[in-house]
Amino acid sequence: MRAKTSSVGVDVDSLRHYYRIHGLDEANATNAAWRVGVPRFMQLFAAVGIKATFYCIAEDLDLPGNAERIKAIVEAGHEVGNHTWHHSYALTRIPASERRAEIAMGRRLLESAAEAPVVGFRAPGYNTSAEVMADVVASGHTYDTSVFPCVPYYTAKAGVMGWMRLRGRQSRSILGDPTVLAAPRDPYRAAVDDPHRKGDGLDVFPVSVAGGVPLIGTAFTALGMAGSVAALQAALALRRHITVEFHAVDLISIRDDGLDPMLGVQPDLKTPVASKRRTFARVLSILRNRTRVERLDVLAAERAARPGRRWS
Ligand SMILES: [Zn+2]
């Protein structure tokens, strides 16, 4: 099996969400994810020559300058995706009316600010459910990319200990056993009653994992250049489609950008931007040379036009 297509996404989580994850006072949170991270990713994508998707949180449009920035994303040829209204990590547990509002209002607000269609959905923290998926469909999305069947990620997001475990897996995880994952790891149509099984519902593009290594910015930073390239090569051989995921903060750092030192609890924020950028550029260049890098809204539309088409 050999990946023929790939897609690249950036979750634009503003810094306040990192303060929340780590239980810190978010009074010191700045708009650096949007003000610094987003433009750096746009520059990187322009340099490599690819179009990507920026999954945005609608409430961030209230921060100064972000309404202009989301338009700039669209003008550069990128897609805007829905990362909900307020980025509630409890999306699967809040009352149905609130859940629907998070999904539907997120999309509506982002569309009106971006002045472009918003058809893709990614749930905060990758927590999805049959109910979430039903709301994603009902509110007009054409695809979902909330599925991330990767055990190291779940430990990593718990904090530093998890991140260390991710690093500890560095060498063996490339050759590791991938069967820990219950959900399909190539794109699939989800079952209506279970987003983690195949069925007749919405197209799902899982964030790619190969040999236990997730193709996300945090992992690339932890693995460094050689490890990241090896992980990508494994994924290219194993997967039908590659979905790479970054976060806007992946291209900022505490020292380079004068951020609150408390954010050092997120260890990759201590890695210099230049080093991270070099690794990301290498990964994306390989992806561009080996696959057709395409926006997920485009791939979802192609898929809809040819329902029988297989991901191969
Ligand atoms: Zn997020």
Side-chain angles (χ1 to χ4, degrees):
M1 205 176 289
R2 168 74 70 190
K4 294 206 170 59
T5 56
S6 64
S7 53
V8 177
V10 180
D11 289 4
V12 188
D13 292 6
S14 48
L15 282 177
R16 57 187 160 201
H17 300 290
Y18 294 87
Y19 282 85
R20 287 175 196 171
I21 289 170
H22 297 289
L24 302 171
D25 178 4
E26 63 187 82
N28 290 327
T30 68
N31 194 24
W34 275 89
R35 186 175 49 78
V36 183
V38 167
R40 282 187 188 151
F41 269 103
M42 289 173 66
Q43 286 161 11
L44 174 61
F45 297 151
V48 177
I50 60 171
K51 305 300 183 196
T53 306
F54 289 80
Y55 296 92
C56 302
I57 302 163
E59 72 166 345
D60 288 345
L61 295 168
D62 297 338
L63 298 170
N66 289 357
E68 289 75 32
R69 292 183 183 106
I70 203 168
K71 286 201 182 74
I73 288 170
V74 172
E75 278 158 22
H78 303 299
E79 173 194 1
V80 169
N82 180 11
H83 200 31
T84 74
W85 190 1
H86 299 99
H87 203 264
S88 167
Y89 287 107
L91 191 64
T92 56
R93 299 199 299 270
I94 55 180
S97 59
E98 288 177 35
R99 185 187 66 229
R100 275 183 212 123
E102 279 298 310
I103 296 166
M105 280 298 289
R107 176 171 187 242
R108 196 179 311 165
L109 293 168
L110 289 165
E111 273 199 336
S112 87
E115 296 176 359
V118 171
V119 299
F121 182 79
R122 179 169 281 152
Y126 316 97
N127 294 318
T128 190
S129 66
E131 292 78 16
V132 168
M133 283 292 264
D135 291 338
V136 169
V137 172
S139 52
H141 299 83
T142 63
Y143 75 89
D144 178 275
T145 178
S146 304
V147 173
F148 187 11
C150 180
V151 169
Y153 165 75
Y154 291 103
T155 54
K157 87 176 167 178
V160 175
M161 287 300 291
W163 196 81
M164 292 302 288
R165 284 175 65 176
L166 180 63
R167 288 190 83 182
R169 291 174 62 87
Q170 178 168 331
S171 56
R172 69 193 158 93
S173 54
I174 291 165
L175 300 170
D177 181 358
T179 59
V180 291
L181 307 159
R185 289 175 302 143
D186 283 307
Y188 61 101
R189 286 186 71 185
V192 172
D193 61 347
D194 181 355
H196 298 123
R197 278 193 306 112
K198 292 183 183 178
D200 297 324
L202 200 65
D203 276 332
V204 172
F205 295 84
V207 175
S208 290
V209 180
V213 179
L215 297 190
I216 63 172
T218 310
F220 296 141
T221 297
L223 293 168
M225 179 81 80
S228 297
V229 170
L232 179 61
Q233 303 283 11
L236 282 165
L238 285 166
R239 302 271 72 84
R240 290 176 175 169
H241 168 89
I242 307 276
T243 306
V244 172
E245 190 215 10
F246 294 100
H247 283 82
V249 300
D250 287 341
L251 277 180
I252 63 182
S253 87
I254 291 167
R255 189 167 294 176
D256 291 318
D257 300 305
L259 300 181
D260 180 0
M262 288 294 283
L263 285 168
V265 293
Q266 184 82 24
D268 46 340
L269 281 174
K270 294 195 278 196
T271 306
V273 170
S275 154
K276 294 193 277 196
R277 191 186 188 283
R278 267 196 305 275
T279 300
F280 298 169
R282 180 92 179 101
V283 165
L284 294 176
S285 299
I286 293 170
L287 211 54
R288 180 207 57 207
N289 292 340
R290 299 272 296 274
T291 67
R292 175 166 70 101
V293 184
E294 192 60 271
R295 293 166 22 168
L296 280 180
D297 60 336
V298 174
L299 290 177
E302 287 179 5
R303 168 91 168 174
R306 296 172 62 191
R309 188 165 177 266
R310 281 171 52 83
W311 291 104
S312 55

